[in-house]
């Protein structure tokens, strides 16, 4: 026994535990503290620092429960970052507000708190886990982690003490450790928790903006579309006449829907009529209705679309196709909100909002005399121009996502993404048919797709020709082979971060042959070296 005691003196025992077992001695503790300080100095890595801290808690303090909490100033919450002796479920329960419980008071006062007997302290909430009866005699030490007069969190242990000297020594050592790790904790909060908070806050604000300016029936969040959403939000509050302008297939009807269903007329009828779909004599009857016997075949009275839209909205699509005689009648409806049925002489008054749409150049038609100038001025009170698809940039990806999911579900297929070459083809195409053309192309590609990825060769030749270079005249088989070859080269360059040598080896060909293929297809291999390159695939929200 004496020899053993002498040996312990040589190792500079820090203190002796009351149950006869010796805890971690100074010779073992100091190297760990040195390593902790070196870790913080070199890389400010809280994970490594915490790992060393838990070893000290287990070895020197000989505790079953030790906790490191962090204080998030933006949210005002204190949460368990790392612990010894707690399960993940127990850690999740250890969330406090400032001033709440012992931990919350330590953060609030920035002063250590020592609870000699947990059972005798009413402010001890013990949210992390339920204690057995014998643990109620434990003491609780909670130390604030401070840096430049800013509280960052707490360091706490639960342990049974019958010797005040040992308790005071542990408090002093915890204070020292809290000072050592303060820098790492501060940087962690700045780089991780602050970043996470602002990302969530940004996402929240984006969702709020989308909810305010982005009608649920329209896909896309590009700057031109956000301007459209803003216009919709402003005009929907009124009953003003709206003229929607834009190329064929851009979604003018969807905008009309958004205006109506976000307006004060939303509870009324929404009547749609395509002015280019029927001959002139039928268009007049459809719009204004007719009396019985007004013309051959008029066996009964019939209400027109304007009457059906009373107390609601009428949407006149392709209004530029109306003849001059019907334009004159439409002008009266706009001016006086009255009209007569064909064959009748009774003025019918309606309370409606008129939304018109066209893909034609109405000012040019006015100059040519094919569209009434006074009608144009009446319609052009609040024009909204819908951008073409080629102006909407990243909205193409969102629309592809939507249409792939839609048609994959309809055809009971599991399609997870669109390949990089296919995306490049979709992004570089001019889209003369706009969204309607995109939808048709995606529905075709879903049908042709034979695995979980839509490839470039699943797209029509018109899109492949817009991306691929080579001979000007190719047979269908040659075009298919080139599309497959292009796809393989792009995927190889993506996997090798634009390294031509590695890509050639991956493809089983010489570097020179790959270089010729890259030149043939006009591929910029350097773009794959940029870590910010993001046109890798289209992940679908399956």
């Amino acid at each position: 026994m004496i020899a053993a005691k002498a040996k312990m003196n040589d190792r500079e025992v820090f203190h002796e535990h009351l149950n006869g077992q010796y805890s971690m001695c100074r010779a073992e503790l100091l190297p760990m503290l040195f390593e902790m300080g070196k870790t913080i100095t070199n890389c400010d890595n809280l994970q490594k620092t915490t790992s060393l801290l838990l070893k000290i808690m287990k070895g020197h303090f000989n505790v079953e429960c030790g906790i490191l909490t962090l204080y998030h100033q933006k949210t005002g919450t204190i949460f368990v970052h790392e612990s010894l002796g707690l399960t993940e479920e127990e850690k999740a329960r250890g969330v406090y507000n400032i001033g709440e419980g012992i931990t919350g008071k330590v953060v609030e006062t920035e002063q250590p708190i020592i609870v000699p007997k947990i059972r005798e302290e009413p402010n001890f909430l013990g949210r992390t886990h339920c204690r057995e009866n014998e643990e109620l005699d434990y003491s609780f030490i909670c130390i604030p982690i401070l840096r430049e007069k800013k509280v960052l969190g707490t360091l706490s242990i639960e342990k049974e003490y019958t010797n005040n000297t040992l308790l005071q020594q542990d408090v002093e050592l915890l204070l020292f450790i809290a000072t050592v790790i303060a820098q790492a904790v501060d940087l962690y909060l700045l780089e991780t928790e602050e970043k996470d908070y602002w990302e969530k806050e940004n996402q929240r604000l984006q969702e709020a903006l989308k909810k305010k300016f982005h009608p649920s029936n329209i896909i896309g969040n590009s700057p031109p579309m956000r301007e459209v959403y803003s216009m919709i939000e402003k005009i929907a509050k009124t009953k003003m006449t709206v003229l929607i302008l834009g190329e064929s297939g851009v979604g003018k009807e969807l905008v009309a829907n958004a205006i109506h269903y976000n307006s004060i007329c939303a509870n009324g009828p929404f009547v749609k009529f395509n002015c280019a779909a029927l001959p002139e004599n039928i268009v007049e009857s459809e719009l204004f209705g007719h009396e019985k016997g007004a013309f051959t075949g008029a066996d009964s009275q019939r209400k027109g679309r304007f009457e059906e839209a009373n107390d609601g909205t009428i949407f006149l699509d392709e209004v530029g196709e109306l003849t001059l005689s019907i334009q004159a009648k439409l002008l009266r409806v706009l001016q006086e909100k009255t009209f007569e049925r064909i064959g009748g002489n009774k003025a019918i008054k309606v309370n409606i909002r008129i939304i018109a749409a066209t893909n034609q150049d109405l000012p040019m038609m006015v100059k040519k005399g094919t569209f009434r100038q006074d009608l144009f001025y009446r319609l052009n009170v609040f024009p909204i121009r819908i951008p073409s698809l080629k102006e909407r940039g990243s909205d193409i990806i969102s629309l592809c996502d939507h249409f792939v999911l839609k048609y994959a579900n309809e055809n009971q297929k599991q399609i997870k993404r669109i390949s990089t070459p296919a995306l490049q083809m979709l992004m570089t195409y001019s889209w003369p048919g706009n969204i309607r053309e995109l939808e048709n192309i995606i529905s075709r590609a879903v049908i042709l797709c034979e695995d979980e990825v839509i490839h470039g060769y699943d797209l029509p030749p018109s899109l492949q020709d817009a991306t691929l270079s080579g001979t000007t005249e190719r047979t269908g088989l040659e075009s298919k082979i080139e599309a497959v070859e292009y796809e393989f080269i792009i995927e190889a360059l993506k996997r090798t971060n634009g390294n031509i040598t590695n890509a050639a080896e991956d493809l089983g060909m010489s570097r020179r042959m790959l270089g010729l293929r890259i030149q043939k297809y006009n591929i910029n291999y350097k773009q794959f070296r940029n870590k910010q390159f993001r046109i890798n695939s289209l992940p679908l929200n399956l």
Side-chain angles (χ1 to χ4, degrees):
M1 290 293 291
I2 295 174
K5 188 74 174 179
K7 186 176 181 180
M8 283 189 290
N9 287 335
D10 290 339
R11 294 177 62 190
E12 299 182 307
V13 176
F14 192 77
H15 66 259
E16 180 179 348
H17 199 274
L18 294 178
N19 64 4
Q21 294 181 337
Y22 292 94
S23 56
M24 182 181 291
C25 66
R26 184 178 299 171
E28 295 171 336
L29 177 61
L30 291 179
M32 279 196 172
L33 292 176
F34 174 77
E35 184 65 26
M36 185 183 294
K38 188 171 69 172
T39 300
I40 295 170
T41 302
N42 291 339
C43 62
D44 303 310
N45 190 312
L46 184 61
Q47 184 178 359
K48 291 183 179 180
T49 304
T50 303
S51 177
L52 291 169
L53 172 61
L54 295 179
K55 287 182 182 179
I56 292 174
M57 284 184 169
K58 184 71 174 175
H60 174 76
F61 292 98
N62 195 25
V63 298
E64 294 299 325
C65 183
I67 299 174
L68 169 66
T69 67
L70 299 181
Y71 172 50
H72 200 302
Q73 293 187 350
K74 293 292 190 299
T75 60
T77 57
I78 307 158
F79 59 95
V80 178
H81 174 70
E82 196 53 80
S83 69
L84 179 69
L86 297 181
T87 64
E88 290 299 318
E89 181 181 355
E90 290 168 343
K91 285 170 59 177
R93 292 202 298 263
V95 180
Y96 303 87
N97 294 319
I98 188 167
E100 189 177 29
I102 301 298
T103 302
K105 288 187 179 299
V106 169
V107 173
E108 183 180 41
T109 63
E110 303 179 10
Q111 296 295 324
I113 294 180
I114 301 168
V115 179
K117 300 291 182 183
I118 290 175
R119 75 159 88 203
E120 298 173 1
E121 178 53 62
N123 290 323
F124 189 89
L125 302 180
R127 285 179 178 167
T128 53
H129 63 135
C130 298
R131 289 162 180 77
E132 302 295 338
N133 290 332
E134 62 267 24
E135 293 179 316
L136 295 176
D137 286 326
Y138 279 18
S139 299
F140 181 74
I141 304 172
C142 190
I143 305 295
I145 302 172
L146 300 170
R147 188 162 191 253
E148 297 178 352
K149 298 182 180 180
K150 180 175 68 175
V151 63
L152 307 172
T154 68
L155 193 57
S156 60
I157 62 171
E158 296 175 25
K159 183 178 176 180
E160 185 178 11
Y161 289 96
T162 57
N163 186 310
N164 288 332
T165 303
L166 291 178
L167 186 148
Q168 189 59 38
Q169 287 176 348
D170 283 355
V171 170
E172 291 173 0
L173 186 54
L174 281 173
L175 283 167
F176 173 75
I177 293 174
T179 303
V180 171
I181 68 173
Q183 179 182 345
V185 172
D186 194 18
L187 288 173
Y188 177 84
L189 286 170
L190 285 173
E191 295 175 1
T192 306
E193 298 302 322
E194 292 290 304
K195 179 181 177 182
D196 181 64
Y197 171 81
W198 287 115
E199 285 179 350
K200 289 180 179 177
E201 182 68 8
N202 181 58
Q203 185 178 3
R204 185 189 68 80
L205 292 173
Q206 289 289 342
E207 291 299 322
L209 285 172
K210 286 181 182 180
K211 190 173 182 181
K212 182 176 182 181
F213 298 114
H214 185 174
S216 59
N217 65 322
I218 305 176
I219 296 170
N221 200 38
S222 61
M225 288 306 296
R226 286 201 298 269
E227 179 65 25
V228 171
Y229 304 147
S230 176
M231 299 283 277
I232 291 172
E233 194 266 342
K234 291 173 182 176
I235 193 60
K237 299 175 182 177
T238 73
K239 293 191 70 174
M240 189 178 293
T241 300
V242 180
L243 178 61
I244 304 175
L245 305 170
E247 298 175 5
S248 179
V250 294
K252 296 187 288 293
E253 185 175 331
L254 291 177
V255 173
N257 276 274
I259 294 172
H260 171 73
Y261 290 110
N262 286 280
S263 72
I264 56 178
C265 304
N267 293 327
F270 183 44
V271 177
K272 304 175 185 179
F273 183 74
N274 189 326
C275 301
L278 299 170
E280 178 185 355
N281 59 332
I282 300 179
V283 167
E284 185 177 6
S285 174
E286 286 291 319
L287 285 176
F288 305 106
H290 59 258
E291 299 290 350
K292 181 180 179 180
F295 51 83
T296 303
D299 299 328
S300 61
Q301 185 191 74
R302 185 183 183 281
K303 289 184 178 181
R305 301 299 176 93
F306 282 108
E307 281 184 84
E308 292 174 355
N310 191 33
D311 293 325
T313 303
I314 185 169
F315 173 54
L316 302 176
D317 197 9
E318 303 300 342
V319 70
E321 298 293 334
L322 293 176
T323 62
L324 290 172
S325 61
I326 296 180
Q327 288 178 31
K329 291 191 174 183
L330 175 58
L331 178 63
R332 183 184 177 192
V333 177
L334 283 167
Q335 290 176 331
E336 304 173 12
K337 295 294 190 294
T338 59
F339 63 92
E340 291 94 23
R341 299 191 191 104
I342 298 175
N345 54 16
K346 180 183 176 182
I348 299 172
K349 191 170 184 64
V350 288
N351 175 32
I352 59 172
R353 175 191 210 147
I354 297 176
I355 301 176
T358 184
N359 61 357
Q360 299 190 42
D361 186 348
L362 293 185
M364 183 59 66
M365 293 180 67
V366 170
K367 289 182 179 180
K368 292 180 178 179
T370 56
F371 199 85
R372 292 180 63 107
Q373 186 178 49
D374 47 5
L375 177 60
F376 171 69
Y377 290 140
R378 282 287 181 179
L379 290 174
N380 199 41
V381 178
F382 196 94
I384 299 178
R385 178 185 172 275
I386 313 303
S388 62
L389 186 55
K390 64 184 177 182
E391 298 176 72
R392 294 175 57 179
S394 60
D395 283 352
I396 294 173
I397 297 178
S398 301
L399 289 162
C400 287
D401 189 346
H402 170 75
F403 291 133
V404 169
L405 286 173
K406 175 183 176 181
Y407 290 105
N409 290 334
E410 284 186 8
N411 293 278
Q412 298 182 343
K413 286 191 171 185
Q414 293 293 325
I415 299 178
K416 294 183 177 179
R417 67 184 183 93
I418 296 178
S419 70
T420 300
L423 266 183
Q424 288 180 318
M425 292 176 187
L426 292 165
M427 292 292 289
T428 56
Y429 185 59
S430 61
W431 298 111
N434 291 291
I435 299 173
R436 189 179 294 119
E437 183 182 11
L438 174 63
E439 182 175 5
N440 293 337
I441 284 173
I442 294 298
S443 65
R444 173 185 182 274
V446 168
I447 294 171
L448 294 176
C449 182
E450 296 178 350
D451 52 26
E452 296 181 341
V453 180
I454 291 179
H455 299 282
Y457 47 78
D458 293 323
L459 301 177
S462 57
L463 269 73
Q464 298 174 21
D465 293 341
T467 304
L468 302 175
S469 59
T471 56
T472 55
E473 295 183 3
R474 298 189 301 276
T475 65
L477 178 60
E478 288 173 336
S479 177
K480 187 88 169 178
I481 291 172
E482 287 189 355
V484 173
E485 186 176 55
Y486 176 80
E487 176 113 8
F488 272 84
I489 292 172
I490 292 292
E491 292 293 338
L493 288 170
K494 185 175 68 172
R495 286 193 298 271
T496 59
N497 295 322
N499 187 304
I500 296 179
T501 301
N502 293 341
E505 183 178 348
D506 186 46
L507 293 168
M509 60 195 307
S510 68
R511 190 181 190 281
R512 180 178 176 276
M513 289 187 66
L514 178 58
L516 292 173
R517 294 294 194 281
I518 289 174
Q519 185 178 3
K520 173 183 177 182
Y521 296 121
N522 195 26
I523 297 172
N524 180 15
Y525 64 90
K526 293 181 180 179
Q527 66 179 321
F528 297 95
R529 296 176 180 175
N530 184 357
K531 292 183 179 179
Q532 300 302 317
F533 181 72
R534 285 293 178 266
I535 310 180
N536 293 338
S537 62
L538 176 60
L540 301 178
N541 303 316
L542 296 174

